[in-house]
């Protein structure tokens, strides 16, 4: 029996173990405390400080979700392309589901689509779509699992099966494809990373000339942060049901970790925060509608190899090589070992601490560790140069422990000095200096003038940016 021909069994309280599911999909205590609780309590994403000093996903010793290998792109200007708060009136989170029809020959059938207000679905809303009986609509659910013992080859084989099943179902009239990792979980079958499955099907249908004949809907336990949802929408998903995040929020209310509101209000707040975060993310590029953001792929891959990117994330910028499908499968396996320990130990260790946003002794490493910050502060306050050298050593050693790309590089020193006649004079080098396009309103008048004067004296270039200079 092919993987994709299996039916998706609905989970009930007897088969659904929340802790096991959370471990399987890489949930951490930090995900709960810094993401789910604030969003479910207040309806907004928690604000953090600038700077992210943890290792790149490809360099980390911790198993990472596939989302961590992607970085958001943005319009590099000093004033925002769209102010998602004050210009909210021009943004739209509406999504249309179903067949788009022939875009070159529009007729009334092109308008026969489901209109939903936002791209995040509750469990009840997804069930309505799954069981739709309206003429002109047909929904089908396709599981996204693979045999964990087959590693990366198992993912590739399962994806071929899933894509063929999608093609067959669309040929038979389905125009609402629900990709689902919701089902009984054991030690033999693993869920394919939701982003890989969604993007793989999305690009397969594009190449098959069938993409506009159906919408993709995702029912997954993986997504819980704004970055996750932005990626899924950016790679072609029309709507997402984050069932494990919603179930986790209900559990938090039951345990009293979310107070002063019931589970329904908490779920509503969480969805509000996610949608608001997605709008903020797409506004960084000046995009004002979710429909325009869908499939736009406003991301770059960092640390994924060309074969993986070309196979499942076609035309995504990827400037360096990195891990392949085997490593992605290995990271799934490591999460499985946490969810299904084989040691026979009956003591539940609970969720891992995380340590992505805040340093934890058993969590992800940080380039600026508490020890490094302590040494730096002590050196600055006391003027102790030896202590400053210790700080330098700590940072250099951590960089060499595969924290950064530059940490992978060594400087090659020449045994003989470069002849002076081969070195450009300073006057020629400084002509290539330039200041970025910082608009007049983004910095002070004094700073703007000082930069322009400096470039004029050096023979470099100054860019006044939007707003110009005072005349």
């Amino acid at each position: 029996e092919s993987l994709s021909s299996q039916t998706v069994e609905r989970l009930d309280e007897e088969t659904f173990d929340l802790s096991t599911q959370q471990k399987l999909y890489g949930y951490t205590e930090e995900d709960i405390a810094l993401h789910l609780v604030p969003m479910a309590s207040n309806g907004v994403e928690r604000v953090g400080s600038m700077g992210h000093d943890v290792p790149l996903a490809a360099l980390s010793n911790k198993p990472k979700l596939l989302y961590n290998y992607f970085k958001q792109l943005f319009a590099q200007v000093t004033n925002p392309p769209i102010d998602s708060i004050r210009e909210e009136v021009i943004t739209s989170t509406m999504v249309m589901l179903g067949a788009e029809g022939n875009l070159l020959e529009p007729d009334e059938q092109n308008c026969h689509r489901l209109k939903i207000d936002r791209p995040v679905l509750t469990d009840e809303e997804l069930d309505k779509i799954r069981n739709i009986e309206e003429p002109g609509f047909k929904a089908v659910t396709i599981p996204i699992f693979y045999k964990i013992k087959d590693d990366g080859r198992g993912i590739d084989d399962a994806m071929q099966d899933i894509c063929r099943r999608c093609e067959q179902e669309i040929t038979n009239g389905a125009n609402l494809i629900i990709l689902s990792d919701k089902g009984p979980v054991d030690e033999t079958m693993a869920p394919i990373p939701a982003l890989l499955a969604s993007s793989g099907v999305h690009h397969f249908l594009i190449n098959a000339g069938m993409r506009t004949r159906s919408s993709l809907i995702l029912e997954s336990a993986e997504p819980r942060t704004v970055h996750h949802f932005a990626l899924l929408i950016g790679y072609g998903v029309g709507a997402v049901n984050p069932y494990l995040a919603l179930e986790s929020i209900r559990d938090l209310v039951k345990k009293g970790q979310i107070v002063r509101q019931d589970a329904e209000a908490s779920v509503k707040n969480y969805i509000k925060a996610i949608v608001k975060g997605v709008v903020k993310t797409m506004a960084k590029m000046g995009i004002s509608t979710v429909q325009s953001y869908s499939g736009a792929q406003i991301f770059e891959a960092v640390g994924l190899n060309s074969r993986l990117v070309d196979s499942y994330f076609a035309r995504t910028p990827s400037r360096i090589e990195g891990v392949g499908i085997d490593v992605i499968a290995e990271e799934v396996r490591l999460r499985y070992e946490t969810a299904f320990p084989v040691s026979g130990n009956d003591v539940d260790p609970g969720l891992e601490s995380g340590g992505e946003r805040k340093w934890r002794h058993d969590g992800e490493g940080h380039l600026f560790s508490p020890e490094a910050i302590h040494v730096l502060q002590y050196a600055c306050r006391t003027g102790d140069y030896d202590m400053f050298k210790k700080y330098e050593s700590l940072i250099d050693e951590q960089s060499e422990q595969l924290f950064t790309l530059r940490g992978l590089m060594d400087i090659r020193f020449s045994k003989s000095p470069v002849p002076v006649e081969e070195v450009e004079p300073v006057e020629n080098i400084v002509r290539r200096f330039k200041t970025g396009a910082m608009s007049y309103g983004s910095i002070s008048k004094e700073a703007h003038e000082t930069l322009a004067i400096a470039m004029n004296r050096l023979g470099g270039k100054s860019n006044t940016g939007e707003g110009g200079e005072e005349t």
Side-chain angles (χ1 to χ4, degrees):
E1 183 184 18
S2 65
L3 292 176
S4 62
S5 63
Q6 300 175 43
T7 58
V8 175
E9 298 181 26
R10 311 313 320 144
L11 296 179
D12 55 37
E13 292 183 358
E14 295 182 359
T15 61
F16 186 88
D17 182 75
L18 181 61
S19 178
T20 299
Q21 291 278 329
Q22 289 176 333
K23 293 173 187 175
L24 178 62
Y25 290 97
Y27 272 64
T28 65
E29 292 290 351
E30 189 174 71
D31 286 332
I32 302 295
L34 300 186
H35 291 292
L36 295 189
V37 171
M39 287 193 283
S41 299
N42 306 315
V44 292
E45 184 184 15
R46 184 167 178 171
V47 177
S49 62
M50 293 289 288
H52 196 52
D53 64 337
V54 298
L56 292 172
L59 303 179
S60 175
N61 293 324
K62 301 282 187 179
K64 298 291 185 180
L65 295 176
L66 186 56
Y67 308 97
N68 292 40
Y69 289 88
F70 291 83
K71 303 293 184 183
Q72 300 170 7
L73 300 180
F74 59 95
Q76 298 187 35
V77 294
T78 52
N79 48 342
I82 292 178
D83 185 330
S84 60
I85 298 174
R86 294 166 186 82
E87 296 181 290
E88 185 178 9
V89 68
I90 66 165
T91 63
S92 172
T93 61
M94 180 185 68
V95 175
M96 308 292 285
L97 300 178
E100 295 181 37
N102 189 338
L103 302 181
L104 301 179
E105 296 180 9
D107 57 30
E108 64 275 7
Q109 286 302 312
N110 291 28
C111 301
H112 193 61
R113 308 183 72 193
L114 287 179
K115 177 184 174 182
I116 59 177
D117 294 332
R118 45 179 163 70
V120 184
L121 301 173
T122 64
D123 300 341
E124 294 76 18
E125 290 167 341
L126 178 62
D127 282 339
K128 288 181 181 178
I129 294 175
R130 194 195 313 274
N131 299 303
I132 191 169
E133 296 180 355
E134 289 291 325
F137 292 99
K138 180 182 178 182
V140 62
T141 300
I142 299 178
I144 50 173
F145 294 93
Y146 76 101
K147 295 178 180 177
I148 193 168
K149 66 180 178 64
D150 293 339
D151 299 321
R153 178 175 57 83
I155 294 180
D156 283 333
D157 292 345
M159 281 302 301
Q160 292 181 23
D161 193 25
I162 290 167
C163 290
R164 286 194 297 267
R165 171 80 185 278
C166 289
E167 183 179 26
Q168 178 185 355
E169 294 290 354
I170 292 174
T171 301
N172 293 338
N175 54 12
L176 297 167
I177 300 293
I178 302 171
L179 302 176
S180 176
D181 61 27
K182 191 173 188 179
V185 176
D186 57 31
E187 296 89 340
T188 62
M189 301 298 293
I192 298 172
L195 178 60
L196 186 146
S198 303
S199 182
V201 170
H202 170 67
H203 283 289
F204 172 83
L205 294 178
I206 290 175
N207 294 332
M210 306 177 74
R211 186 61 185 91
T212 58
R213 294 168 60 179
S214 178
S215 289
L216 294 181
I217 301 168
L218 178 67
E219 180 182 38
S220 177
E222 269 189 5
R224 58 260 197 186
T225 71
V226 169
H227 182 62
H228 299 171
F229 287 88
L231 269 163
L232 291 167
I233 296 169
Y235 281 93
V237 176
V240 182
N241 168 235
Y243 67 88
L244 185 57
L246 303 185
E247 186 61 35
S248 298
I249 289 171
R250 298 185 189 102
D251 183 67
L252 291 169
V253 173
K254 188 184 303 182
K255 291 179 177 178
Q257 292 179 253
I258 298 176
V259 296
R260 295 191 299 275
Q261 59 191 27
D262 59 18
E264 183 179 353
S266 298
V267 166
K268 184 177 179 181
N269 273 346
Y270 170 76
I271 292 176
K272 175 185 175 182
I274 291 294
V275 174
K276 188 173 182 178
V278 169
V279 170
K280 180 179 70 175
T281 300
M282 66 188 193
K284 294 176 184 178
M285 189 57 82
I287 298 174
S288 60
T289 67
V290 169
Q291 291 188 87
S292 295
Y293 194 70
S294 179
Q297 300 188 180
I298 312 295
F299 299 88
E300 68 170 328
V302 181
L304 297 179
N305 69 23
S306 299
R307 179 192 173 278
L308 180 61
V309 172
D310 293 343
S311 298
Y312 298 106
F313 306 98
R315 294 175 293 280
T316 296
S318 182
R319 292 171 177 82
I320 62 171
E321 290 295 307
V323 307
I325 193 69
D326 288 338
V327 175
I328 300 301
E330 175 67 10
E331 293 184 314
V332 173
R333 187 187 65 79
L334 290 172
R335 289 192 288 272
Y336 250 66
E337 290 182 353
T338 303
F340 301 102
V342 295
S343 63
N345 186 359
D346 295 332
V347 178
D348 184 359
L351 301 181
E352 293 187 3
S353 60
E356 286 274 343
R357 297 291 180 266
K358 292 184 177 181
W359 184 89
R360 294 290 183 268
H361 70 92
D362 60 342
E364 184 62 272
H366 284 253
L367 189 59
F368 296 101
S369 63
E371 181 183 7
I373 297 302
H374 167 72
V375 172
L376 175 62
Q377 290 178 338
Y378 185 86
C380 293
R381 288 167 179 165
T382 63
D384 189 331
Y385 184 67
D386 289 337
M387 193 62 75
F388 181 76
K389 295 298 289 185
K390 182 178 179 181
Y391 164 74
E392 279 187 331
S393 177
L394 282 171
I395 297 299
D396 291 343
E397 288 174 6
Q398 288 173 161
S399 180
E400 291 172 0
Q401 292 172 4
L402 306 187
F403 268 76
T404 62
L405 293 178
R406 66 177 181 272
L408 304 175
M409 304 177 187
D410 288 325
I411 299 176
R412 294 192 302 180
F413 295 95
S414 175
K415 294 182 179 179
S416 58
V418 177
V420 176
E421 57 271 14
E422 294 183 13
V423 180
E424 281 189 275
V426 173
E427 293 78 9
N428 289 350
I429 295 175
V430 296
R431 289 174 184 169
R432 293 195 289 272
F433 286 11
K434 61 182 178 180
T435 58
M438 294 173 284
S439 61
Y440 183 75
S442 70
I443 57 177
S444 69
K445 172 184 175 182
E446 292 78 10
H448 212 276
E449 291 177 350
T450 301
L451 288 169
I453 292 170
M455 289 302 104
N456 288 336
R457 290 178 179 175
L458 292 174
K461 299 177 178 67
S462 64
N463 188 336
T464 59
E466 183 183 343
E469 294 178 335
E470 185 179 44
T471 56

